Amino acid sequence: MKPRSDGLTEHVSRKGPQASDLLAWYDQHARTLPWRIAPADSQRGIRQDPYKVWLSEIMLQQTTVAAVLPYFQNFTARWPTVSDLALASDDDVRAAWAGLGYYRRAANLHACAKVIADQGGRFPQTAAALKDLPGIGDYTSAAIASIAFCEPVAVVDGNVERVVTRLFRLDTVLPKVKREVTDKVRAMVPDDRPGDFAQATMDLGATICTPKTPACALCPWNESCAAHHAGDMEAYPVKAPKKAKPRRQGAALVVVRSDGAVWCEQRPPTGLLPGMTQVPTSEWSADAPKPYKDAEQLGSVEHVFTHFALSLQVYRRDSDKPPTSQGWWSTPERVREEAWPTVMVKVLKAVIPEIASSIRPKKR
Ligand code: SF4
């Protein structure tokens, strides 16, 4: 036990969290996922397919396992190897990706497949070399190197950050704490089973050490977890207080043709909501927008993005004339298939609720 400056006493087990305890838990409780092999197979020296590890990790960025499963099955059925994916057309890859959001990731995925196919279909085997490929950053390179090639590197995603900041009660705020977390993980990674250790920490964060009410009684590391002993698990990771976001304003015009079709545009391929569908809209700025002519104003919608809050005045115009030169009419049957971001779904619901009520936003 060691005294803390805040007067609390830290009941940290002297031995600290052991990789072997976590791996014993993982051997019993590993999630069964189509891109994984069972822990018993991994211990027999069978390695995971780097193509499947890479594909799943790219798909899992910013979304859930449940959302990814059908996409993963479809991609691997259509394109069983990275070289098959490299030969696919851009349109086919984009269409197969539709609904997973972040279309730039699909473009990077395809570009990466082409680079690897040019290298004989073999993935580089170290995190450092993997990081040179399109769309592969620190986390994904470490995950592939560790899981597919047994490189003993630290693999740190949001789940692992949560587990480790709690284990050691690291009170540096996010995202600065990531360096300390990475050092702690690196010190724990076992040389013989680095990939299983990485997947075990991810599983622990996803299933036991959850953001709210973690199930510490079931956790293989509860003996040595500082936050569990202090009873303040949910205080970690420490987040910086939220700053008020700047406000922007704009206007959006929903043009409805006499057969109910809606005029759509595609957003630019880079910047905010890249490549997604929108209705015509003004600039989004600090200044009040000009009203649309020959259109009825139907109120406004509010939406909060990562860096600003937006207030959009919403207009409806009934017309068979395209309001802009670049765009397309989407019929009431097709309109729900478009790649609408959440803000545009709010706009549509304010203007054509009878059609928009069944539209689900795609991920940004
Ligand atoms: S004991 Fe609780 S807080 Fe600590 S790592 Fe396990 S689940 Fe998370």
Side-chain angles (χ1 to χ4, degrees), residues 40-363:
D41 289 337
S42 151
Q43 291 195 71
R44 288 211 309 273
I46 298 171
R47 293 285 152 259
Q48 285 183 220
D49 178 354
Y51 172 56
K52 291 184 177 173
V53 177
W54 164 71
L55 188 61
S56 63
E57 289 296 347
I58 301 288
M59 287 182 167
L60 282 165
Q61 289 165 11
Q62 316 285 337
T63 190
T64 61
V65 166
V68 161
L69 285 172
Y71 288 90
F72 180 85
Q73 311 277 23
N74 182 35
F75 265 69
T76 49
R78 287 181 72 173
W79 303 299
T81 69
V82 69
S83 301
D84 297 323
L85 179 58
L87 290 173
S89 73
D90 289 346
D91 282 351
D92 281 352
V93 173
R94 193 185 160 86
W97 189 269
L100 265 183
Y102 289 96
Y103 292 107
R104 204 182 306 139
R105 292 209 322 257
N108 277 335
L109 182 94
H110 202 196
C112 184
K114 289 175 185 169
V115 173
I116 295 168
D118 284 347
Q119 296 169 359
R122 278 193 296 278
F123 281 76
Q125 301 201 0
T126 64
L130 285 158
K131 234 176 99 173
D132 287 339
L133 294 168
I136 297 191
D138 288 338
Y139 166 74
T140 309
S141 59
I144 301 169
S146 158
I147 298 169
F149 301 116
C150 271
E151 188 182 10
V153 285
V155 182
V156 178
D157 67 355
N159 281 325
V160 178
E161 264 170 15
R162 184 167 61 255
V163 171
V164 174
T165 52
R166 289 172 176 178
L167 278 177
F168 299 98
R169 291 184 89 205
L170 300 178
D171 42 25
T172 309
V173 294
L174 279 174
K176 264 190 172 172
V177 76
K178 190 160 186 154
R179 178 173 297 216
E180 286 167 71
V181 171
T182 304
D183 289 345
K184 295 282 189 196
V185 173
R186 197 176 290 127
M188 288 193 282
V189 176
D191 285 340
D192 57 341
R193 297 180 66 189
D196 284 348
F197 180 82
Q199 293 173 110
T201 46
M202 292 174 195
D203 281 15
L204 189 71
T207 62
I208 302 279
C209 194
T210 48
K212 300 267 182 241
T213 50
C216 299
L218 303 176
C219 177
W221 275 340
N222 57 16
E223 289 274 317
S224 50
C225 177
H228 172 57
H229 284 290
D232 59 358
M233 301 81 76
E234 290 182 20
Y236 302 89
V238 180
K239 297 186 181 114
K242 284 191 180 153
K243 287 190 208 141
K245 298 192 180 194
R247 290 200 70 79
R248 294 191 197 170
Q249 307 176 70
L253 176 66
V254 179
V255 181
V256 184
R257 205 166 61 179
S258 42
D259 62 355
V262 175
W263 184 253
C264 301
E265 297 177 340
Q266 186 172 24
R267 290 186 61 82
T270 56
L272 187 70
L273 308 173
M276 300 201 76
T277 308
Q278 66 174 15
V279 297
T281 167
S282 68
E283 291 283 306
W284 298 346
S285 70
D287 303 324
K290 286 193 188 132
Y292 280 106
K293 290 184 186 143
D294 304 323
E296 181 186 6
Q297 194 191 339
L298 296 171
S300 63
V301 299
E302 305 290 323
H303 189 74
V304 180
F305 290 99
T306 314
H307 298 296
F308 65 93
L310 176 68
S311 177
L312 266 186
Q313 291 174 19
V314 178
Y315 291 80
R316 173 178 178 140
R317 179 188 295 159
D318 290 285
S319 168
D320 288 359
K321 195 170 151 226
T324 53
S325 57
Q326 301 273 321
W328 67 97
W329 293 108
S330 190
T331 61
E333 297 75 42
R334 299 263 334 254
V335 76
R336 62 180 60 82
E337 308 302 328
E338 306 288 353
W340 300 109
T342 304
V343 62
M344 284 295 147
V345 174
K346 289 180 182 177
V347 168
L348 295 171
K349 283 186 174 169
V351 178
I352 45 171
E354 67 284 4
I355 295 172
S357 59
S358 63
I359 297 177
R360 298 281 168 267
K362 305 290 190 292
K363 280 262 181 188

